[in-house]
Amino acid sequence: MAAPGLRDIPLLPGSPRRLSSRTVARGGQGPKQYLKVPSPRVPGQRDSSSQHSSHVSRRACSRDSAVINNYLDANEAPSEARLSRMHFHDNQRKVDYVLAYHYRKRGAQQGHGSPGHSLAVISNGETGKERRTGGPGDVELGPLDALEEERREQRDEFEHNLMAAGLELEKDLESKSQGSVFVRIHAPWQVLAREAEFLKIKVPTKKMYEIKSGGSIAKKFSAILQTLSSPLQPRVPEHSNNRMKNLSYPFSREKMYLYNIQEKDTFFDNATRSRIVHEILKRTACSRANNTMGINSLIANNIYEAAYPLHDGEYDSPGDDMNDRKLLYQEWARYGVFYKFQPIDLIRKYFGEKIGLYFAWLGLYTSFLIPSSVIGVIVFLYGCATIEEDIPSKEMCDHQNAFTMCPLCDKSCDYWNLSSACGTARASHLFDNPATVFFSIFMALWATMFLENWKRLQMRLGYFWDLTGIEEEEERSKEHSRPEYETKVREKLLKESGKSAVQKLDANSPVDDEDDEDKLTWKDRFPGYLMNFASILFMIALTFSIVFGVIVYRITTAAALSLSKTTRSNVRATVTATAVIINLVVILILDEIYGAVAKWLTKIEVPKTEQTFEERLILKAFLLKFVNAYSPIFYVAFFKGRFVGRPGSYVYVFDGYRMEECAPGGCLMELCIQLSIIMLGKQLIQNNIFEIGVPKLKKLFRKLKDETEPGESDPDHSKRPEQWDLDYSLEPYTGLTPEYMEMIIQFGFVTLFVASFPLAPVFALLNNVIEVRLDAKKFVTELRRPDAVRTKDIGIWFDILSGIGKFSVIINAFVIAVTSDFIPRLVYQYSYSHNGTLHGFVNHTLSFFNVSQLKEGTQPENSQFDQEVQFCRFKDYREPPWAPNPYEFSKQYWSVLSARLAFVIIFQNLVMFLSVLVDWMIPDIPTDISDQIKKEKSLLVDFFLKEEHEKVKLADEPTQRSQGGGDRSRRSRAASSAPSGRSQPGSIASSGSQHTNV
């Protein structure tokens, strides 16, 4: 007989196969199984039975029994309205995580489902709000196909294992022929406390102390800065009192008296709760899915579609109700607040440390671009101010000099006057002047200063965010194997033993067991490594081939345009502009291809853990995208015009097509054009238009797909959508790799070739001001909430940044020495000039050629020059035709070459020395943070001793009372609750919140 007040409810299809005999009444061979559950109660009604049910529910994780959590029946009128869309339907338990999957039935009869029976509750046991068999409103289900049935069983087992771990689940009934189902997960206090202790999550204790800012001068300076920057500060609670800090300590259930636990429901914030649930999801196994470990494997096998924590509500909801998401949108993710600082602490609280560090890094990088932009503009303005004083450009523009230049191509090209390139020469001076040398040195030191300041900021954030000592947690997160790795191991075991993978790997020995850690040897991975090596070489060769193809386009187009008199005058400008646009389009296309190829190559390499996968993916993607973005620029900077040959002995690409030459003013101007168009094009098209347009198109496509998808219409469509429905419609979070990659490539544009384009930091700054808000809006409004990940640094990205910074010193040294005319001008001015000025420099750099020695068939046809040309000039240091060794390299050539090499060596060593000096002068850990960490350890010891002493006193009170020691006990309690500042100078403590000046 059932106990009074209990009724029979059919067992859900998602129920596990084994339930306790105390709670399940099995009906022989009948098709239905029933649970004995208490009668429904009104939410919020607190009686002895409900308290007992809640108590039993919390203990359910320790035994294999079904424990019931009852809810109001859908047919009964609720006593209170739905309070929150982020809770279970009892308005009490918070939804910490959501699993989503799509189901499909066959043979279901439409129209039988009742909207009132849409809720199934599984909470450390299983209950289902369904009617008894034979009632009006039953849903007659047809047979499921084999694949769907297998997935259902795997989901059932996984959810049962989650309940065995102590989690509480709620999900909708599958009342339609197909649709999406959301499994809501709640972690009760016992689970949160257990996992927080296991993960060693640092939480605030009762103790608070004041962070000193230093001496009186430092305090005054800090107060002045705070007053001046107050309009720029976001209006968020984290910035209201940043001088007080809680003393933090890893959570321990044995030391609960240390923590200021006022409410168990709010002690762990939402990000921490979701992180705890995600850790449980990652380590929960499913034996029916070939002993698959974790939710990531189930998603990879299409058993679930998505797993995500909920946002804190809507960001644009009307009214004054405020949540962290809405606050972030108003104070951070709108373009209207572009001038404000970022609320880094709130970002970290909402999204986790990994994303918080990214936006902190992006903010520091953007702020560092301000001084470099100012200096770059000054260098550019210096070039504009001194353009009229530049002697070489004046000589080139002087029509009286009449330097007759040799033809630029065979047959169709005529002789030409150097004065026709006057505009190019004057424009080159804007970027090729002595100030660019000092700007290159400044930018090399700027990169070092930026990295050093980031290390300091990283340490400061690590102190305030309690990230010190999380190495063990990071190592533990590395243990989870990727689904692809598990599958590869099973395939290997099947080949070796011929047995089933399930037989080979039982539930107690997962794939990533410590005793058999590396199950894939280098022999197993060798085909993947070989494919990686060959594919990367092929991609690099493909990039170089495309660059060569653009070179051929430039050569052939220039020759074709030279045939017509109307286009002959603008040949160089037309060819340069169109070739750069082609390069830009190719770079944008290959960027997308290379990103997908890098991901595919990393997958076939089969890394074991997600972190290893991410690091290898980053290295491959960076290598391919670096070569793709910079190879056209490297060609113009270091190869164009170097292998042309000379008149009478040109180097030909094809028959009749000579290698292209630099402009008369040098290749630096063309390098500037190439760099500026590629940089601006990537920022405008790829970084902004793609990031704004593509997500909107995806959202529109998904919306149209949902509207046209066959199936029953939702009877509750008129109701306000739940938060998990709204979040499910958002784009899934795919990681920070694209965000970092985009900024790293930009960092390369800013530092590598800054000698040729001093305005690069300005355009980078303008882009980043938009980029910060664009990324913020994307994270807040367009993406599902990411899992909070704790990390103490930005990982491999710092090594890449450091490598680019060092590489930029070498590149800029060669750009100044080889590409620009800075060294030849210095050599001429101090070695060959008669009066120590640059007068005669242009004539000095032009060699003579006897036109009678041109090869037959290469002479200009229909020359426009009236007088007969006997000698033409070309830009090179060669002996004249009348010299004993005509057209050999002259002494000036070797003088300039040795000066260039000497400059590279001196520049590189000087800048490296200054960089090391800056690195040595700026400590990685700020002095105040180092002192605070030491004092915090001392405070922690004192706090422990005091709390232990008070705990002993409280334990001794009953004994003292029985011995007549009531007076002493009262004095002891009064002393323990009195401020501790009287015993320790500068210290004020209370049982609720203790303040100490440090």
Side-chain angles (χ1 to χ4, degrees):
M1 290 293 293
L6 299 185
R7 60 190 178 92
D8 290 342
I9 288 183
L11 189 65
L12 292 180
S15 304
R17 299 300 185 268
R18 299 176 60 187
L19 295 174
S20 173
S21 59
R22 290 180 294 179
T23 55
V24 179
R26 299 190 179 275
Q29 302 298 322
K32 292 285 186 179
Q33 297 176 349
Y34 296 94
L35 294 176
K36 301 296 185 179
V37 300
S39 298
R41 64 176 179 86
V42 178
Q45 179 183 350
R46 299 188 178 277
D47 52 13
S48 59
S49 63
S50 66
Q51 293 174 359
H52 174 71
S53 175
S54 177
H55 175 66
V56 175
S57 173
R58 293 189 183 97
R59 288 170 31 194
C61 60
S62 61
R63 70 177 193 269
D64 187 16
S65 62
V67 180
I68 311 309
N69 285 271
N70 235 5
Y71 296 94
L72 185 68
D73 197 305
N75 289 335
E76 299 179 19
S79 62
E80 56 180 317
R82 184 76 190 282
L83 298 178
S84 171
R85 294 182 298 157
M86 296 185 60
H87 290 73
F88 281 6
H89 281 70
D90 63 350
N91 283 332
Q92 294 177 5
R93 288 177 284 187
K94 183 188 293 291
V95 177
D96 297 317
Y97 219 86
V98 175
L99 306 180
Y101 65 89
H102 189 86
Y103 71 90
R104 178 173 55 85
K105 298 179 181 179
R106 291 193 309 177
Q109 299 178 8
Q110 300 184 14
H112 292 283
S114 172
H117 299 275
S118 60
L119 178 63
V121 179
I122 310 174
S123 182
N124 277 342
E126 297 75 37
T127 75
K129 294 294 181 182
E130 287 183 349
R131 293 186 182 274
R132 294 286 303 271
T133 305
D138 284 343
V139 179
E140 297 294 336
L141 303 180
L144 301 174
D145 62 340
L147 179 61
E148 189 67 26
E149 178 63 26
E150 183 182 0
R151 290 176 178 173
R152 177 188 294 276
E153 291 179 354
Q154 292 169 355
R155 287 193 294 264
D156 293 345
E157 185 198 351
F158 185 71
E159 290 163 10
H160 171 69
N161 292 339
L162 293 180
M163 292 183 285
L167 298 177
E168 298 179 357
L169 276 63
E170 176 190 77
K171 70 176 181 179
D172 303 319
L173 286 176
E174 300 175 0
S175 57
K176 298 186 294 184
S177 63
Q178 65 174 338
S180 296
V181 171
F182 301 96
V183 181
R184 279 87 68 184
I185 303 175
H186 168 76
W189 170 256
Q190 286 81 359
V191 175
L192 294 174
R194 180 192 72 206
E195 297 297 323
E197 183 175 358
F198 172 68
L199 296 173
K200 297 183 179 179
I201 295 177
K202 285 190 174 183
V203 294
T205 62
K206 299 175 184 178
K207 186 86 165 177
M208 290 187 70
Y209 63 94
E210 182 180 3
I211 302 174
K212 286 192 173 182
S213 59
S216 57
I217 299 177
K219 284 184 178 179
K220 290 180 180 178
F221 183 70
S222 177
I224 293 172
L225 282 180
Q226 190 170 4
T227 304
L228 293 176
S229 63
S230 57
L232 306 179
Q233 295 291 348
R235 293 175 294 177
V236 296
E238 278 66 22
H239 289 274
S240 59
N241 185 11
N242 54 7
R243 294 183 57 81
M244 302 301 299
K245 184 180 185 297
N246 278 95
L247 197 63
S248 298
Y249 186 73
F251 188 84
S252 173
R253 288 175 289 181
E254 297 179 354
K255 297 182 174 61
M256 299 283 284
Y257 54 88
L258 297 176
Y259 314 110
N260 190 16
I261 305 176
Q262 297 178 355
E263 256 188 81
K264 291 184 177 180
D265 289 340
T266 58
F267 181 70
F268 295 105
D269 59 26
N270 292 344
T272 305
R273 295 173 69 99
S274 64
R275 183 160 67 93
I276 288 174
V277 175
H278 185 61
E279 286 293 330
I280 298 175
L281 291 172
K282 285 198 298 185
R283 70 167 186 259
T284 302
C286 181
S287 60
R288 289 183 179 273
N290 291 332
N291 210 46
T292 299
M293 179 65 70
I295 184 62
N296 295 333
S297 300
L298 296 177
I299 292 176
N301 295 327
N302 296 319
I303 299 169
Y304 287 98
E305 280 192 10
Y308 53 91
L310 288 182
H311 279 292
D312 282 359
E314 295 186 59
Y315 64 89
D316 56 353
S317 59
D320 297 332
D321 55 322
M322 187 60 65
N323 56 63
D324 286 346
R325 187 188 188 193
K326 191 173 183 180
L327 189 61
L328 281 172
Y329 177 73
Q330 292 181 356
E331 296 295 325
W332 178 52
R334 294 187 300 114
Y335 294 110
V337 293
F338 72 93
Y339 60 91
K340 289 188 176 183
F341 297 128
Q342 298 186 91
I344 294 298
D345 292 325
L346 184 59
I347 297 170
R348 170 252 180 177
K349 176 188 173 186
Y350 192 80
F351 292 111
E353 284 77 6
K354 188 172 185 178
I355 295 177
L357 283 175
Y358 164 71
F359 281 104
W361 174 85
L362 181 58
L364 182 69
Y365 170 51
T366 303
S367 62
F368 257 73
L369 285 173
I370 296 175
S372 60
S373 301
V374 172
I375 303 298
V377 170
I378 292 174
V379 170
F380 178 74
L381 293 178
Y382 170 81
C384 295
T386 58
I387 191 170
E388 298 297 335
E389 302 172 5
D390 184 46
I391 297 174
S393 61
K394 280 184 177 181
E395 291 182 348
M396 288 183 65
C397 295
D398 189 2
H399 294 278
Q400 296 180 356
N401 287 330
F403 295 111
T404 303
M405 306 298 293
C406 296
L408 295 175
C409 62
D410 295 343
K411 290 187 180 181
S412 58
C413 296
D414 196 2
Y415 302 106
W416 56 286
N417 285 323
L418 186 62
S419 59
S420 62
C422 175
T424 306
R426 291 172 65 87
S428 297
H429 179 72
L430 299 177
F431 305 100
D432 189 5
N433 55 70
T436 57
V437 179
F438 300 100
F439 187 57
S440 300
I441 298 175
F442 168 80
M443 287 303 295
L445 298 179
W446 173 88
T448 304
M449 289 282 291
F450 165 62
L451 294 177
E452 290 302 313
N453 275 271
W454 167 244
K455 286 192 285 188
R456 290 169 62 83
L457 177 60
Q458 196 169 247
M459 287 300 303
R460 190 175 295 276
L461 292 176
Y463 164 70
F464 284 105
W465 293 354
D466 298 315
L467 297 178
T468 54
I470 66 168
E471 288 79 6
E472 294 182 7
E473 182 180 337
E474 289 182 340
E475 289 298 326
R476 185 164 48 247
S477 66
K478 297 176 185 177
E479 296 174 0
H480 300 290
S481 296
R482 298 180 64 251
E484 292 81 0
Y485 180 84
E486 295 179 355
T487 303
K488 196 74 175 178
V489 169
R490 290 191 189 93
E491 291 177 356
K492 177 184 176 182
L493 294 175
L494 284 172
K495 290 180 181 178
E496 290 179 352
S497 62
K499 297 180 180 180
S500 171
V502 179
Q503 294 174 341
K504 187 70 179 176
L505 299 173
D506 60 355
N508 296 323
S509 59
V511 171
D512 53 350
D513 192 88
E514 294 179 358
D515 298 333
D516 197 7
E517 185 176 4
D518 190 11
K519 293 193 174 182
L520 290 183
T521 62
W522 69 270
K523 293 181 180 179
D524 302 318
R525 300 176 188 268
F526 182 74
Y529 291 149
L530 186 62
M531 178 65 73
N532 270 262
F533 181 74
S535 300
I536 290 174
L537 285 183
F538 172 76
M539 293 298 167
I540 294 176
L542 175 64
T543 304
F544 291 158
S545 301
I546 292 174
V547 172
F548 180 74
V550 175
I551 295 171
V552 172
Y553 162 80
R554 295 162 67 112
I555 295 172
T556 55
T557 305
L561 292 177
S562 299
L563 297 175
S564 174
K565 295 180 181 179
T566 57
T567 58
R568 189 175 298 170
S569 58
N570 298 319
V571 168
R572 192 177 297 277
T574 304
V575 170
T576 300
T578 55
V580 171
I581 292 174
I582 293 173
N583 270 326
L584 174 61
V585 173
V586 170
I587 286 172
L588 293 178
I589 295 173
L590 289 183
D591 252 0
E592 302 300 319
I593 296 175
Y594 286 169
V597 168
K599 192 171 184 179
W600 174 72
L601 290 176
T602 311
K603 283 183 178 179
I604 65 175
E605 201 175 337
V606 199
K608 182 177 181 181
T609 63
E610 286 295 340
Q611 180 165 352
T612 308
F613 178 88
E614 184 179 11
E615 290 179 352
R616 295 183 181 182
L617 173 62
I618 289 170
L619 287 176
K620 292 182 183 66
F622 174 73
L623 175 62
L624 293 175
K625 293 191 176 187
F626 182 91
V627 173
N628 181 42
Y630 297 121
S631 53
I633 302 173
F634 270 94
Y635 163 73
V636 175
F638 304 121
F639 297 100
K640 184 178 180 180
R642 311 295 169 198
F643 310 102
V644 177
R646 60 172 180 82
S649 181
Y650 284 114
V651 176
Y652 290 88
V653 181
F654 301 111
D655 186 24
Y657 293 101
R658 288 162 24 187
M659 286 291 292
E660 56 180 346
E661 303 178 33
C662 289
C667 280
L668 196 68
M669 187 61 198
E670 190 171 341
L671 176 62
C672 173
I673 296 173
Q674 185 103 2
L675 180 65
S676 59
I677 292 181
I678 291 178
M679 178 181 176
L680 295 178
K682 277 181 65 66
Q683 290 183 166
L684 291 175
I685 299 175
Q686 189 178 44
N687 299 352
N688 294 330
I689 295 178
F690 282 7
E691 286 192 20
I692 296 173
V694 172
K696 289 187 180 297
L697 290 176
K698 286 183 178 179
K699 190 174 182 179
L700 178 63
F701 177 75
R702 191 166 55 248
K703 184 179 179 181
L704 294 174
K705 182 181 178 183
D706 293 340
E707 290 177 354
T708 58
E709 188 178 52
E712 299 92 336
S713 60
D714 191 354
D716 297 333
H717 68 279
S718 60
K719 291 184 178 180
R720 191 181 180 192
E722 302 287 357
Q723 188 64 45
W724 45 85
D725 289 303
L726 296 174
D727 288 4
Y728 182 68
S729 65
L730 299 176
E731 282 291 312
Y733 169 73
T734 56
L736 288 171
T737 300
E739 316 299 333
Y740 272 115
M741 188 68 69
E742 152 189 342
M743 290 294 105
I744 295 296
I745 296 297
Q746 184 201 86
F747 183 79
F749 282 122
V750 170
T751 55
L752 289 178
F753 296 94
V754 74
S756 64
F757 189 42
L759 295 180
V762 179
F763 292 109
L765 175 63
L766 296 176
N767 174 80
N768 287 8
V769 170
I770 302 173
E771 183 70 24
V772 170
R773 307 302 161 179
L774 184 65
D775 286 347
K777 188 175 182 181
K778 181 170 65 174
F779 274 87
V780 173
T781 66
E782 298 175 2
L783 295 180
R784 294 174 191 161
R785 187 172 183 174
D787 295 304
V789 179
R790 282 175 68 85
T791 181
K792 58 183 172 57
D793 52 36
I794 60 175
I796 195 173
W797 296 111
F798 183 84
D799 299 327
I800 294 176
L801 283 168
S802 181
I804 291 178
K806 292 179 173 60
F807 190 48
S808 67
V809 178
I810 303 172
I811 294 298
N812 280 298
F814 277 97
V815 166
I816 296 170
V818 177
T819 311
S820 75
D821 280 339
F822 177 75
I823 299 302
R825 291 184 182 189
L826 283 181
V827 172
Y828 174 79
Q829 186 174 359
Y830 294 104
S831 300
Y832 297 99
S833 177
H834 300 292
N835 52 9
T837 64
L838 289 176
H839 286 287
F841 172 74
V842 175
N843 184 52
H844 178 76
T845 59
L846 298 177
S847 299
F848 287 89
F849 179 76
N850 191 341
V851 298
S852 62
Q853 297 178 353
L854 286 172
K855 289 184 178 179
E856 187 67 28
T858 63
Q859 297 90 346
E861 298 177 348
N862 303 321
S863 176
Q864 300 297 318
F865 280 73
D866 297 333
Q867 72 278 15
E868 184 179 351
V869 177
Q870 184 178 1
F871 295 101
C872 66
R873 310 293 294 272
F874 62 99
K875 189 175 177 63
D876 206 347
Y877 292 102
R878 291 184 181 268
E879 296 289 347
W882 53 83
N885 299 313
Y887 308 126
E888 294 291 330
F889 288 117
S890 62
K891 295 180 180 179
Q892 290 89 337
Y893 171 83
W894 299 110
S895 300
V896 171
L897 180 62
S898 59
R900 283 173 167 166
L901 294 177
F903 174 82
V904 169
I905 296 172
I906 295 173
F907 182 90
Q908 179 180 341
N909 286 278
L910 174 64
V911 175
M912 288 293 186
F913 170 75
L914 294 176
S915 300
V916 172
L917 184 63
V918 170
D919 190 1
W920 175 76
M921 292 176 63
I922 302 177
D924 293 347
I925 304 178
T927 307
D928 59 332
I929 296 299
S930 179
D931 295 340
Q932 296 286 359
I933 292 175
K934 294 176 183 177
K935 291 181 180 180
E936 188 175 278
K937 292 179 180 179
S938 175
L939 280 174
L940 195 60
V941 173
D942 295 341
F943 176 61
F944 274 11
L945 293 176
K946 183 178 181 301
E947 289 295 328
E948 289 288 342
H949 183 61
E950 290 188 0
K951 184 181 177 183
V952 172
K953 280 186 178 181
L954 292 174
D956 291 343
E957 277 186 2
T959 306
Q960 292 174 357
R961 284 199 196 95
S962 64
Q963 295 176 355
D967 296 337
R968 290 193 305 273
S969 177
R970 283 191 293 272
R971 287 195 296 270
S972 174
R973 286 194 300 272
S976 65
S977 62
S980 60
R982 287 175 287 188
S983 59
Q984 294 180 359
S987 174
I988 302 174
S990 66
S991 60
S993 179
Q994 303 178 11
H995 304 266
T996 303
N997 292 326
V998 178

